[in-house]
Amino acid sequence: MRIECIAIGTELLTTRRLDTNSVWLGERLADLGLAFHRKTAVGDHREDLAELIREALQRSDLILTTGGLGPTFDDLTKELFAEILGAELVEDAAARVDMLAFYAARQRVPAQSNFKQVLIPMGAEPLRNPVGTAPGIWWPDPPGHPGARIVMLPGVPREMKRMWEEQVEPRLRPLAGRPTHTLRLVVAGVPESTLDERIREVRQAHSHLDWSILASLTQVELLVRSGETTALEAVRRDLKPVLGADLVSVGAGNLEDAVLQGLDAQGQTLAVAESMTGGLISARLTAIPGASRSFLGGVTVYSPEAKAALLGLPPDFLAKQGTVSEATTIALAEAAKAKLGATWGLAVTGNAGPGAEGGAPLGAVFLAVAGPGGTLSAGRAFHGDRPDVQLRGSGAALDFLRRQLNLVLNY
Amino acid sequence: MRIECIAIGTELLTTRRLDTNSVWLGERLADLGLAFHRKTAVGDHREDLAELIREALQRSDLILTTGGLGPTFDDLTKELFAEILGAELVEDAAARVDMLAFYAARQRVPAQSNFKQVLIPMGAEPLRNPVGTAPGIWWPDPPGHPGARIVMLPGVPREMKRMWEEQVEPRLRPLAGRPTHTLRLVVAGVPESTLDERIREVRQAHSHLDWSILASLTQVELLVRSGETTALEAVRRDLKPVLGADLVSVGAGNLEDAVLQGLDAQGQTLAVAESMTGGLISARLTAIPGASRSFLGGVTVYSPEAKAALLGLPPDFLAKQGTVSEATTIALAEAAKAKLGATWGLAVTGNAGPGAEGGAPLGAVFLAVAGPGGTLSAGRAFHGDRPDVQLRGSGAALDFLRRQLNLVLNY
């Protein structure tokens, strides 16, 4: 079966907007033992999109599109498929009811333009959109293309994902090949290239599997795919000793999850004090449901006033130690721990640029963890622009704490 | 001139590896007044790639490829173009010398497979690779396609970018169009569909320009492109009265920038107290360079303990008013303002789910701004999953504050 993905939106060609939908869809297809033959991004231009749709109908059995289902003038996906396939657009009563309900629930009235969204090509089925106003389209055996299938999904990732999981995947399952299983391991504190070398022997011993390494700014993911769960079990067994304490999690979890699980497992609590990371650590932790079980709170002490007022650091101490220093970071971690009566206090200071900050060089980051057994601190030097250094700093801090929590767990 | 980009590599279809090369190339093209009509990602499969190359030769004047120039069996880009265009591959002496020098400099000897990299299609020119072993290809007027141009670049971003800047851009400059200018307006507090209707008349009055609307969870971007800055000036003039106080910024700035500029312009300062948004507001503000000029700091009061310990909210007050309520949010905003001696205090409480929180319904959000002229508060109800509600909540809070700042500015 030839499958292609079409991501629709001028922003995908002209701005820094990356097409992450097709990446997610590629992984869901892999779960079904299916794969894309190609992925195309095209703008909201009638001629370009129409040309691509005509080509795709000739060469592919399954066409997945994202985007271009909205209410605005430049949303053309459904209209062009219908036009090219010579199918009339008719209003779908259920879709209309869904849309009116969507707005009623928000005490709003749909704009006239919204009603274009409930038009469905004759012969196609609407896919309900439980989280938005744009229904998707499931179009099996479109006119002149028996056996082909067209799936149109909104470009908004949360709408697209939910509709795929609830409505598209069940429809595609009958076409599925042998499902591939994925072993996902998350590693922190090791550069991608070093990790690559460390796992080389294990990878060669299991070279018949599909391996990939994906580095992000705060962790590295190792993905191994196979049709056989036993094969993946063996890989996991072989990798564990090689990865040691750098292994953050096996499965879906990331650095944040590992930290919260480590705290939860021991019924312990955390308080955070951030300057350079400006709230990023708190935000990453509180993005996880249930964070409130172990995360008591945090302070973003972005000024000397804040360090004094919120954590009682004396101005003369700051004047002496500097706003970016190991001593100040230790003091912040201990003050946060004491102030909130938490088991652990985690603090970060640093200079993310662009200018110099408290005399510290660009990319300098200090970490401190105040815990039951005392306080540990460390310094790091990161490269990259401001957002990079802030993100790396927040990751280094979470990983620094995670390693202490594991020490405790291993007792 | 029709321009398309082909990113070659199975990893682009099967893993979370994003094709960032084409995004970078799209921006470089815009600098030349050129733009992609489409971007395609395809695997290292002979048939798929050959089919795509044949199509591209038919429809495009300029074909940019990245990847598939390496030494291994699945590097096919150059070979397939040559095969399809019926051009012989011949060894390029200069490329051979470059490669031998590259290895010599590293005290290494090239593998036999490396020599396939110095084969160049007859009629094409090699593009030197100063940082790697794979030369690129510049192929003007390929057989049967007079006037067309093919550019093949390595997939390694570092190599691709350097070769583009030093060798490809100079060759394309003569073809450059008139550089396009972009008018970017950011709007908040208005759904995409409503905005679309509000601007319809203006858009129709300037329908010869290239318009796009980009909605995110916390703002909507309006992008208008033209070769004429005067045409964009006219659009801006016409849109301003239509957008009114919902217009956040013109140009590069977002909601965060508008808030910081509003504070800066008046030499005022801000303190933030967050529960549901968990540090997101602070993180968004401190992502902006120079935030420290007006952002003093923030607290993430994720537990009653934190609300009491950091901002002195009495436990019985919280017990009576609830952790998610307008009264508590007002108290948090005023306490944050007082505690840090800031001009403004901004607070958010709410329930982002998944469970109930302080008796408040899922998606309920309360905002409060304590300012020089007193305290204003508001309630909102958002839909979506946890990260959505947190992000929307942070945006609503920043926009709530922005509107007060503008009121002050308008005096």
Side-chain angles (χ1 to χ4, degrees):
Chain A
M1 175 159 61
R2 291 177 59 84
I3 308 175
E4 75 175 278
C5 185
I6 300 177
I8 298 152
T10 302
E11 69 276 12
L12 299 169
L13 299 180
T14 58
T15 70
R16 213 167 268 121
R17 190 72 52 111
L18 284 165
D19 166 31
T20 53
N21 284 339
S22 70
V23 176
W24 187 89
L25 287 168
E27 291 172 345
R28 299 289 79 72
L29 283 180
D31 298 342
L32 294 170
L34 303 172
F36 285 129
H37 277 71
R38 72 164 75 182
K39 305 192 312 194
T40 310
V42 65
D44 303 304
H45 295 291
R46 172 170 284 277
E47 298 69 26
D48 293 347
L49 181 52
E51 178 187 47
L52 178 54
I53 288 173
R54 285 194 196 89
E55 295 168 10
L57 286 166
Q58 294 317 314
R59 70 183 164 229
S60 295
D61 310 304
L62 173 58
I63 303 170
L64 293 176
T65 72
T66 58
L69 297 181
T72 69
F73 62 91
D74 61 359
D75 294 303
L76 298 166
T77 310
K78 207 170 43 179
E79 290 76 357
L80 285 174
F81 267 104
E83 189 179 307
I84 288 164
L85 290 164
E88 196 186 337
L89 284 168
V90 291
E91 182 171 289
D92 182 82
R96 186 190 179 93
V97 170
D98 281 351
M99 188 185 65
L100 293 172
F102 178 93
Y103 280 96
R106 290 156 176 74
Q107 281 94 42
R108 282 167 49 199
V109 179
Q112 197 46 45
S113 58
N114 285 108
F115 288 96
K116 121 194 214 308
Q117 295 183 284
V118 302
L119 297 174
I120 307 297
M122 286 274 259
E125 285 173 50
L127 300 169
R128 303 188 65 173
N129 185 338
V131 283
T133 62
I137 300 287
W138 165 256
W139 200 345
D141 304 307
H145 301 274
R149 289 164 187 80
I150 303 165
V151 179
M152 303 179 219
L153 293 168
V156 180
R158 78 184 182 292
E159 301 178 12
M160 182 279 293
K161 291 176 182 179
R162 178 131 172 223
M163 290 162 76
W164 172 274
E165 282 162 350
E166 294 174 358
Q167 302 173 77
V168 181
E169 214 207 278
R171 287 175 165 87
L172 292 180
R173 212 164 257 306
L175 318 174
R178 194 183 60 169
T180 33
H181 306 284
T182 302
L183 171 67
R184 177 178 182 269
L185 298 105
V186 173
V187 174
V190 193
E192 183 181 20
S193 53
T194 313
L195 178 65
D196 187 24
E197 300 209 334
R198 258 168 69 186
I199 65 165
R200 180 156 300 150
E201 278 187 20
V202 178
R203 187 156 47 76
Q204 281 160 354
H206 302 273
S207 55
H208 57 295
L209 305 182
D210 168 17
W211 289 71
S212 43
I213 296 187
L214 297 171
S216 78
L217 284 175
T218 63
Q219 63 185 29
V220 184
E221 277 174 85
L222 203 51
L223 299 167
V224 193
R225 291 196 184 73
S226 165
E228 307 290 347
T229 48
T230 52
L232 296 178
E233 214 11 81
V235 172
R236 171 186 175 151
R237 211 171 34 244
D238 296 352
L239 279 176
K240 276 206 157 175
V242 177
L243 299 177
D246 300 324
L247 177 61
V248 170
S249 79
V250 179
N254 296 312
L255 205 41
E256 300 83 328
D257 305 272
V259 165
L260 290 173
Q261 280 164 25
L263 293 166
D264 245 7
Q266 304 160 79
Q268 299 183 329
T269 56
L270 173 66
V272 170
E274 317 181 51
S275 68
M276 177 202 77
T277 49
L280 203 47
I281 296 175
S282 293
R284 287 178 66 171
L285 289 169
T286 55
I288 314 281
S292 56
R293 276 198 304 277
S294 43
F295 178 70
L296 297 182
V299 292
T300 299
V301 285
Y302 217 63
S303 61
E305 296 89 319
K307 292 181 179 73
L310 295 172
L311 295 178
L313 258 62
D316 58 341
F317 173 90
L318 287 170
K320 188 159 146 294
Q321 300 295 347
T323 52
V324 178
S325 72
E326 192 147 9
T328 298
T329 313
I330 290 171
L332 290 172
E334 291 173 346
K337 174 180 188 286
K339 190 91 182 177
L340 294 187
T343 322
W344 300 87
L346 172 64
V348 188
T349 68
N351 175 14
E357 162 73 37
L362 196 60
V365 173
F366 295 100
L367 313 169
V369 168
T375 303
L376 280 176
S377 61
R380 300 263 193 281
F382 293 116
H383 295 266
D385 57 10
R386 182 181 174 90
D388 285 7
V389 173
Q390 288 177 318
L391 195 53
R392 287 177 196 269
S394 70
L398 288 167
D399 193 45
F400 193 57
L401 172 60
R402 178 191 68 84
R403 289 169 192 262
Q404 331 270 330
L405 290 168
N406 285 347
L407 279 183
V408 178
L409 279 172
N410 294 340
Y411 280 173
Chain B
M1 177 160 59
R2 291 176 58 84
I3 308 175
E4 75 175 276
C5 185
I6 301 178
I8 299 152
T10 302
E11 72 278 8
L12 298 169
L13 299 180
T14 58
T15 69
R16 214 161 290 154
R17 184 75 51 173
L18 287 164
D19 165 31
T20 52
N21 283 339
S22 70
V23 176
W24 188 88
L25 287 168
E27 290 170 348
R28 299 290 76 71
L29 283 180
D31 299 342
L32 294 171
L34 304 172
F36 285 130
H37 281 253
R38 70 164 77 184
K39 305 190 313 192
T40 310
V42 66
D44 305 303
H45 297 292
R46 173 171 281 278
E47 297 69 24
D48 293 348
L49 182 52
E51 178 188 46
L52 179 54
I53 288 173
R54 284 194 197 89
E55 294 169 7
L57 285 166
Q58 293 317 315
R59 69 181 164 229
S60 294
D61 310 304
L62 173 60
I63 303 170
L64 294 175
T65 73
T66 57
L69 296 180
T72 70
F73 64 90
D74 63 355
D75 292 304
L76 297 165
T77 309
K78 204 169 45 181
E79 289 77 356
L80 285 175
F81 267 103
E83 188 179 309
I84 289 163
L85 290 164
E88 198 187 335
L89 286 167
V90 293
E91 184 172 290
D92 182 83
R96 185 191 180 93
V97 170
D98 281 351
M99 188 184 66
L100 292 171
F102 179 92
Y103 280 96
R106 291 160 177 71
Q107 280 93 43
R108 284 163 50 201
V109 179
Q112 197 47 45
S113 59
N114 285 107
F115 289 95
K116 125 192 214 303
Q117 295 183 281
V118 302
L119 297 175
I120 307 296
M122 288 272 262
E125 287 172 49
L127 299 170
R128 303 187 66 174
N129 185 338
V131 282
T133 62
I137 300 288
W138 165 258
W139 200 345
D141 304 309
H145 300 275
R149 288 163 187 80
I150 303 165
V151 178
M152 304 180 216
L153 293 168
V156 181
R158 191 177 80 263
E159 302 176 11
M160 183 279 293
K161 291 177 182 178
R162 179 128 175 226
M163 291 163 76
W164 173 272
E165 281 161 352
E166 294 174 357
Q167 302 173 76
V168 180
E169 214 210 274
R171 288 175 164 87
L172 291 181
R173 210 162 258 306
L175 315 176
R178 195 179 48 179
T180 37
H181 307 282
T182 302
L183 171 68
R184 176 178 182 269
L185 298 105
V186 172
V187 174
V190 192
E192 181 184 17
S193 53
T194 312
L195 177 65
D196 183 33
E197 300 219 324
R198 261 168 64 184
I199 66 165
R200 178 155 302 150
E201 280 186 20
V202 178
R203 182 161 50 75
Q204 280 159 355
H206 302 271
S207 54
H208 57 295
L209 305 182
D210 169 17
W211 291 70
S212 46
I213 296 187
L214 269 176
S216 76
L217 284 175
T218 63
Q219 63 185 31
V220 184
E221 281 172 79
L222 251 179
L223 299 167
V224 192
R225 291 190 190 72
S226 166
E228 305 289 351
T229 47
T230 51
L232 296 178
E233 215 10 81
V235 171
R236 172 188 174 149
R237 211 174 32 244
D238 295 353
L239 280 175
K240 275 204 158 175
V242 176
L243 299 177
D246 299 324
L247 177 61
V248 171
S249 79
V250 179
N254 296 311
L255 203 42
E256 300 83 327
D257 305 271
V259 165
L260 290 173
Q261 281 163 26
L263 292 166
D264 245 9
Q266 303 160 78
Q268 298 183 329
T269 56
L270 172 66
V272 169
E274 315 181 51
S275 67
M276 175 202 78
T277 49
L280 203 49
I281 296 175
S282 293
R284 288 179 65 173
L285 290 169
T286 56
I288 315 284
S292 56
R293 276 198 304 276
S294 44
F295 178 70
L296 297 182
V299 291
T300 299
V301 285
Y302 217 63
S303 60
E305 297 90 316
K307 293 180 179 73
L310 294 172
L311 295 179
L313 258 62
D316 58 342
F317 174 88
L318 286 171
K320 185 159 149 294
Q321 301 294 351
T323 52
V324 179
S325 70
E326 194 147 8
T328 299
T329 313
I330 290 171
L332 289 172
E334 291 173 345
K337 174 180 187 286
K339 189 90 183 178
L340 294 187
T343 323
W344 299 88
L346 172 64
V348 188
T349 68
N351 175 14
E357 162 72 37
L362 196 61
V365 173
F366 294 100
L367 314 169
V369 168
T375 303
L376 280 176
S377 61
R380 299 264 192 281
F382 293 117
H383 293 257
D385 57 12
R386 181 180 175 88
D388 287 2
V389 174
Q390 289 177 316
L391 195 53
R392 287 177 195 266
S394 70
L398 288 167
D399 193 44
F400 192 57
L401 172 59
R402 179 191 67 84
R403 289 169 192 262
Q404 329 276 325
L405 289 168
N406 285 348
L407 280 183
V408 179
L409 278 173
N410 294 339
Y411 280 172

